[in-house]
Amino acid sequence: MARKAVCCGLSSLELMLIVLFLLMTGITIGLITVLAINLNSQTPEPEEPTPSVPPPENPYLIGVGRADCTGPVADVPLMGYANPDQTAGGIHTRLFSRAFIVDDGSKRVVFVNADIGMVSQRLRLEVLKELELKYGDLYRQENVILSGTHTHSGLAGYFQYTLFIITSKGYIKSSIQPIVNGIVKSIDVAHKNMRPGRIFVSKGEIVGSNLNRSPHSYLNNPEEERNRYKSNTDEQIVTLKFTDLDGDGMGVFSWFAVHPVSMNYTNRMVSSDNLGYASYLFEQEKNIGYLPGEGPFVAAFATANSGDVTPNTRGPYCINTGERCDYLNSSCPIGGTRMCVAFGPGNDIFDSTRIIGENIYRKAKELYGSAKQELRGSVHAAHQWVNMTDVTVQLDSTHSVKTCKPALGHSFAAGTIDGGGDLNFTQGAVEGDPFWDGIRDALLGAPSKEIQECHNPKPILFSTGEMNWPFPWHPDIVDVQIITIGSVAIVAVPGEATTMSGRRIREGVKQELEKNAAFTNSEVVITGLCNIYTHYITTYEEYQVQRYEGASTIYGPHTLSAYIQHFRGLARAIAEGKVGELPKGPEPPFFSNLFSLLGEPPVDRSPENTTFGDVLQQVHPVYKVGEVASVTFVAGNPRNSGEMRDKTFVTVEKFHNSTSTWEVVHTDASWETR
């Protein structure tokens, strides 16, 4: 059979088709290229933006962890307003401990932020004991900072000094143990999850979410100093962004100066308050598909120099008349300090908590998304124990001053605009009251002349440094501590520094660090309520006014100067590489035979003609959006429920018709449930 072979000859039609095909292919490729360029220019930045610089050759090892630290949500006093009758009677949100570990290959630091009022010395010592049992000397007092968010709606009962024992109904084992377990577990989780990563720092401002509650005291600071700042509160928020080497988010840590007292003294529900809600919002956004308190991303929000700062931005009014409170002493003509209360910005305490929390979260989210300044360099930790009752401060070459044994002034009993005292004390008292002084002398003894002179002009109400039964009423030995990660320094302040006090501490630490070129343009952040609680830290000038914060500065008028001296010493040791030469200082006590003043929970008995689990008020079959579903049932005292960490008292479940299954959409950790 004959075959016709065709080699290279093409007909004119075939040639035309090939030319058209090539032409169309070129046009198509061109259009695709243009389309791709246009699409790329319109696509928003990914949530985890790719940094403009490659990761460092020796990246940090980073671990983040979170754990439930909620204790018994009934009968136990709430810690913050010093009112033993303000006891827990429900749960608004769960309380969590959040841990961050950073390792530079040779040194390691741990920073923990827990949803509690403050860290007590006893709590810290018990946590360190547990860490030593698990990890030896890997995590110890030098490189572990424990801080509390300062929510006033966390549980009390974890102190070993008498003043706090009285206001907390004693040392309550069922309250402190969940906190210890939660903190240790959060560190465990962070330890197990450590992997190479990167850290970025950014800062911005949040305006309208804090208010100075003692502006008269602030105005007593030197005018020249005040003129350096545009506000009588710190509106700055500093944020650390943690990612792995692929740029995937691991966590965020933010500092902002605000008191978590949006849930005020009338509240009876355990709550993490405004800073806790900021954490909740950030974690819920990042941990898609997880219930609150679950998921890998951890968001911590710590309070900074918030000693004189309230979130109640409408300011103080007399709740019985609607008039403004007296400016100098924050009291009302009828009802005194108890009637002078600050509110806002919301319609009630829940709404105010939501608004302040959202404001903080939104700014932190913005800073997280735009963070580009990467931290590089070594990790350092410096710690000392200091006897704060006997510190000599050298003011200049010829003058020195000393701190005092602890004491509280009359204005301590007046409270603040966030929660005033019940008795006829007022803020700004620079003279004693013969009536109350007489009662004090009869019951507790009069303050010595030495302590009165040392604390001048404070009129002493309780000379706690001279009161030692059944245990000392206040601590003598106090932790001072700094950790640095690259150019960021975290100063662990063992109390509540006022706005200007925090600024002076930051300035002093920054000056010492920047003597070493490695800390050029360092960022110093204040973290309050760390390691041990010593009430307030005002400036010398604010102390003279003797409002609540000054009256609660327990080591006398030179307390701030003593802290600055010690923090400068720690910073200098870090900058000069001489941390190992720092004296350890006198170790704090660990008291035995602590006792509880809280009785055992009564045996649970159901009401007559009911049994446990009976529903007394049933939910409706149908609800409209925005309505509240409420159910009432017969149950026991939550204190009889045993350990309730990582559990829930209630679930809200959604039925899926397609699979005939129920899905848990809310727990008692959810904002939507109470």
Side-chain angles (χ1 to χ4, degrees):
M1 185 177 184
R3 296 180 179 176
K4 184 178 180 180
V6 178
C7 176
C8 299
L10 296 174
S11 69
S12 59
L13 178 60
E14 289 172 324
L15 185 61
M16 186 180 296
L17 289 173
I18 289 171
V19 171
L20 287 172
F21 173 78
L22 291 173
L23 184 62
M24 292 305 295
T25 301
I27 293 170
T28 302
I29 291 172
L31 287 172
I32 290 172
T33 302
V34 171
L35 183 61
I37 292 171
N38 286 340
L39 284 173
N40 189 54
S41 67
Q42 294 172 16
T43 303
E45 282 190 9
E47 195 167 319
E48 306 291 352
T50 303
S52 57
V53 292
E57 291 183 7
N58 299 307
Y60 295 118
L61 278 177
I62 299 170
V64 300
R66 176 187 51 251
D68 192 347
C69 62
T70 313
V73 297
D75 301 338
V76 176
L78 300 181
M79 186 65 213
Y81 295 105
N83 180 4
D85 295 326
Q86 188 192 10
T87 54
I91 183 167
H92 175 222
T93 59
R94 281 197 168 261
L95 310 177
F96 293 97
S97 172
R98 296 172 172 90
F100 292 71
I101 303 176
V102 180
D103 189 309
D104 66 2
S106 62
K107 296 183 292 297
R108 179 174 296 198
V109 293
V110 184
F111 193 95
V112 175
N113 188 233
D115 290 328
I116 57 176
M118 62 283 290
V119 173
S120 73
Q121 187 177 80
R122 182 61 176 227
L123 175 62
R124 177 169 168 83
L125 293 175
E126 292 200 20
V127 167
L128 290 174
K129 278 190 172 185
E130 292 296 319
L131 291 175
E132 184 180 17
L133 289 174
K134 284 193 169 192
Y135 299 103
D137 65 352
L138 181 61
Y139 302 124
R140 57 201 184 278
Q141 71 266 11
E142 289 89 358
N143 68 345
V144 175
I145 290 179
L146 303 182
S147 72
T149 61
H150 203 35
T151 173
H152 285 42
S153 297
L155 298 164
Y158 54 93
F159 293 82
Q160 67 173 4
Y161 292 97
T162 301
L163 182 78
F164 307 117
I165 286 175
I166 292 172
T167 58
S168 300
K169 292 189 178 178
Y171 173 83
I172 304 171
K173 194 68 178 175
S174 62
S175 181
I176 189 173
Q177 203 58 53
I179 304 174
V180 172
N181 293 344
I183 290 174
V184 172
K185 183 178 177 180
S186 68
I187 295 173
D188 289 342
V189 174
H191 179 85
K192 292 172 184 175
N193 291 339
M194 292 187 74
R195 61 186 189 269
R198 308 173 70 176
I199 307 172
F200 301 85
V201 61
S202 56
K203 58 183 179 179
E205 288 189 348
I206 303 174
V207 178
S209 291
N210 60 12
L211 180 79
N212 195 304
R213 68 186 187 188
S214 286
H216 183 55
S217 296
Y218 181 88
L219 285 173
N220 213 43
N221 291 306
E223 183 179 8
E224 181 183 355
E225 182 180 34
R226 287 186 281 112
N227 288 342
R228 292 164 50 196
Y229 306 97
K230 64 180 182 180
S231 173
N232 61 5
T233 63
D234 268 358
E235 297 173 331
Q236 175 178 278
I237 177 173
V238 178
T239 295
L240 295 184
K241 172 183 179 177
F242 299 82
T243 75
D244 61 19
L245 294 184
D246 294 326
D248 294 325
M250 297 174 65
V252 63
F253 210 121
S254 293
W255 290 264
F256 181 63
V258 71
H259 249 81
V261 291
S262 293
M263 302 291 289
N264 69 18
Y265 65 94
T266 65
N267 175 52
R268 298 284 299 278
M269 304 184 81
V270 169
S271 174
S272 59
D273 213 288
N274 47 45
L275 291 177
Y277 187 50
S279 292
Y280 174 91
L281 290 172
F282 216 129
E283 290 178 348
Q284 284 297 98
E285 177 179 304
K286 291 291 188 181
N287 295 320
I288 304 297
Y290 288 92
L291 290 167
E294 300 176 2
F297 190 92
V298 178
F301 287 81
T303 190
N305 47 326
S306 60
D308 53 356
V309 182
T310 177
N312 297 309
T313 53
R314 290 184 195 168
Y317 288 86
C318 297
I319 57 176
N320 51 353
T321 65
E323 299 175 356
R324 279 281 188 181
C325 302
D326 178 84
Y327 173 76
L328 295 179
N329 57 35
S330 299
S331 64
C332 299
I334 302 173
T337 55
R338 187 64 176 173
M339 291 293 110
C340 177
V341 181
F343 291 101
N347 299 320
D348 57 33
I349 58 177
F350 299 99
D351 194 34
S352 292
T353 300
R354 177 189 61 79
I355 293 170
I356 298 297
E358 281 183 351
N359 291 346
I360 298 169
Y361 151 72
R362 286 195 187 111
K363 190 62 183 183
K365 178 185 174 184
E366 175 192 321
L367 294 172
Y368 180 92
S370 61
K372 290 182 173 60
Q373 182 184 341
E374 184 166 8
L375 296 185
R376 298 172 185 266
S378 300
V379 164
H380 299 281
H383 171 277
Q384 283 182 303
W385 283 305
V386 176
N387 183 351
M388 275 298 292
T389 70
D390 189 26
V391 178
T392 299
V393 181
Q394 200 69 38
L395 296 180
D396 53 41
S397 59
T398 57
H399 294 83
S400 64
V401 292
K402 293 194 69 172
T403 55
C404 315
K405 290 182 178 180
L408 291 163
H410 275 245
S411 294
F412 161 76
T416 73
I417 60 173
D418 295 320
D422 286 319
L423 304 172
N424 63 331
F425 292 92
T426 58
Q427 295 198 64
V430 290
E431 294 182 359
D433 182 297
F435 175 77
W436 292 114
D437 288 347
I439 293 176
R440 176 206 59 210
D441 294 350
L443 295 176
L444 304 171
S448 68
K449 182 180 179 182
E450 176 189 5
I451 203 168
Q452 290 185 66
E453 290 177 350
C454 189
H455 279 269
N456 185 60
K458 176 194 290 179
I460 294 174
L461 181 63
F462 297 120
S463 182
T464 53
E466 299 176 312
M467 298 159 63
N468 295 295
W469 187 87
F471 306 102
W473 280 50
H474 268 143
D476 293 345
I477 310 303
V478 174
D479 297 71
V480 290
Q481 187 175 19
I482 297 176
I483 62 174
T484 63
I485 305 168
S487 60
V488 168
I490 301 171
V491 182
V493 176
E496 305 182 55
T498 61
T499 300
M500 195 63 85
S501 291
R503 289 168 176 169
R504 292 184 190 177
I505 293 171
R506 283 202 305 259
E507 189 173 39
V509 170
K510 185 177 176 70
Q511 287 173 355
E512 295 294 340
L513 288 176
E514 291 188 346
K515 292 176 182 177
N516 182 332
F519 292 98
T520 302
N521 297 321
S522 60
E523 186 66 47
V524 180
V525 292
I526 297 292
T527 305
L529 297 310
C530 291
N531 299 334
I532 178 174
Y533 185 61
T534 62
H535 296 266
Y536 284 73
I537 304 164
T538 64
T539 67
Y540 175 84
E541 295 84 359
E542 291 164 350
Y543 186 91
Q544 307 307 306
V545 180
Q546 279 299 296
R547 281 178 62 85
Y548 173 80
E549 294 82 11
S552 304
T553 298
I554 63 174
Y555 299 114
H558 304 291
T559 296
L560 174 62
S561 297
Y563 278 125
I564 290 175
Q565 178 171 283
H566 281 291
F567 284 127
R568 273 183 172 271
L570 297 181
R572 190 180 310 118
I574 290 173
E576 296 176 354
K578 296 180 179 180
V579 171
E581 300 176 17
L582 286 171
K584 189 176 180 180
E587 291 198 23
F590 188 88
F591 299 131
S592 57
N593 302 317
L594 295 176
F595 53 88
S596 172
L597 300 173
L598 180 68
E600 292 297 318
V603 176
D604 288 326
R605 292 186 175 87
S606 61
E608 192 174 354
N609 299 321
T610 66
T611 58
F612 292 112
D614 283 357
V615 178
L616 304 182
Q617 178 193 346
Q618 186 56 275
V619 293
H620 306 315
V622 176
Y623 289 92
K624 296 178 181 178
V625 173
E627 290 184 323
V628 176
S630 180
V631 60
T632 306
F633 55 92
V634 179
N637 188 318
R639 289 175 62 203
N640 288 326
S641 298
E643 177 69 87
M644 283 299 292
R645 288 188 315 115
D646 302 318
K647 300 176 184 176
T648 182
F649 287 102
V650 63
T651 61
V652 178
E653 302 179 17
K654 180 179 180 180
F655 187 74
H656 295 282
N657 289 319
S658 58
T659 58
S660 297
T661 57
W662 290 92
E663 176 195 8
V664 177
V665 293
H666 297 303
T667 65
D668 62 10
S670 301
W671 177 263
E672 290 80 3
T673 61
R674 298 179 196 168

